[in-house]
Amino acid sequence: MTTAIHVQNLERVYRSAAEPVVALRGVNLEIAAGQFVALKGRSGSGKTTLLNCLGGLDQPTTGTIEVYGRALHTLDDQALTRWRQQEVGFIFQSFGLLPTLSAYENVELMLRIAGVAKGERNGRARECLDMVGLSKWADHRPYEMSGGQQQRVAIARAIANRPRLILADEATGELDSETAREILALFQAIARSRDLTILLASHDSLVDEYVDEVLHLEDGQIAPQAA
Ligand code: ADP
Ligand code: MG
């Protein structure tokens, strides 16, 4: 069994406000590769902070994070950026697509940023759009698409650089429940077919049916699992 995520005693304290905010207080976590895991918890429980730390967008105050055996604190800024581009795909609640670019261009741009050779980009972008069922929508811009379609483009973009870890923050938060189910089923299929590890932060009970494991975050700690 390959370990995708290994977190030890992770704490994250925000000190920007008058009073320090302890967002994560001693999180320990181990997730096997290929798992689709839901991270649940009320608003303010620390889900976004944890995802940001796992993806190297934010740094722990104390504690260590290893992703596929790579200890993130050993990487300097440049190495961390390169690691993120190669190993992690991010998906957000509000899709985050560039409005002036087509679906195809949104995906292709990500490959360009990740340094994928020109000759390979076209095939890979089309393959990813195909995987999310949007081949026929490649030339459409985000505003011509439904929310569910836009999120599919975002998923195609996230998997384009062939990451081993997908971090999805409230990825179904703006979708109606039928569309949310389609997106959850898509995540499930992607995790299985590509041996990708997916961590989805959500407070939607719909996700339980689709994931391999549910983790509960409470006040910055992983709550013991109910039997
Ligand atoms: P969730 O995603 O579960 O809603 P967050 O990780 O966003 O939780 O927030 C966890 C806690 O950290 C909350 O109390 C929130 O107010 C606080 N927090 C989040 N981001 C910041 C920040 N940049 N500065 C100060 N406090 C923050
Ligand atoms: Mg959040």
Side-chain angles (χ1 to χ4, degrees):
M1 185 197 84
T2 306
T3 300
I5 293 173
H6 188 202
V7 172
Q8 280 183 300
N9 197 28
L10 170 58
E11 296 188 315
R12 174 64 168 105
V13 183
Y14 293 109
R15 298 189 192 279
S16 45
E19 290 283 308
V21 177
V22 185
L24 298 173
R25 52 184 89 224
V27 169
N28 293 291
L29 197 58
E30 188 154 344
I31 297 176
Q35 294 284 103
F36 179 18
V37 176
L39 186 63
K40 297 179 77 181
R42 285 198 307 233
S43 180
S45 58
K47 301 184 297 297
T48 296
T49 303
L50 179 54
L51 291 191
N52 287 346
C53 287
L54 291 175
L57 294 173
D58 189 8
Q59 251 112 56
T61 306
T62 59
T64 58
I65 298 172
E66 286 175 35
V67 181
Y68 288 95
R70 181 69 64 92
L72 300 193
H73 65 271
T74 63
L75 304 176
D76 62 22
D77 283 354
Q78 207 186 346
L80 192 64
T81 300
R82 204 165 42 235
W83 169 83
R84 194 188 303 121
Q85 286 167 354
Q86 291 171 353
E87 296 275 347
V88 190
F90 291 95
I91 296 165
F92 305 99
Q93 177 170 3
S94 51
F95 320 134
L97 302 174
L98 291 171
T100 57
L101 298 186
S102 69
Y104 171 83
E105 289 165 339
N106 266 281
V107 178
E108 202 263 352
L109 176 64
M110 188 54 82
L111 293 169
R112 208 180 280 232
I113 291 170
V116 175
K118 192 164 187 276
E120 231 187 286
R121 295 200 291 258
N122 181 280
R124 264 171 67 176
R126 305 237 170 245
E127 177 197 325
C128 291
L129 285 169
D130 193 33
M131 196 166 311
V132 300
L134 284 183
S135 305
K136 295 195 175 118
W137 290 80
D139 298 326
H140 290 260
R141 303 232 168 114
Y143 65 84
E144 299 173 304
M145 303 177 137
S146 68
Q149 287 174 321
Q150 289 181 55
Q151 195 58 300
R152 283 172 190 272
V153 177
I155 293 169
R157 184 181 57 179
I159 60 175
N161 55 345
R162 299 188 178 147
R164 287 190 286 176
L165 176 64
I166 297 275
L167 300 171
D169 198 354
E170 309 281 357
T172 59
E174 288 192 2
L175 306 175
D176 63 74
S177 62
E178 194 185 329
T179 309
R181 282 183 181 281
E182 289 170 16
I183 295 295
L184 289 167
L186 180 60
F187 277 133
Q188 191 181 48
I190 287 172
R192 287 189 182 153
S193 70
R194 304 211 125 193
D195 205 22
L196 255 168
T197 307
I198 303 181
L199 200 52
L200 168 69
S202 175
H203 49 255
D204 190 343
S205 57
L206 268 185
V207 306
D208 297 22
E209 291 173 46
Y210 294 87
V211 296
D212 301 308
E213 188 184 358
V214 178
L215 297 172
H216 291 277
L217 209 51
E218 262 176 46
D219 284 336
Q221 285 185 308
I222 304 285
Q225 302 292 292

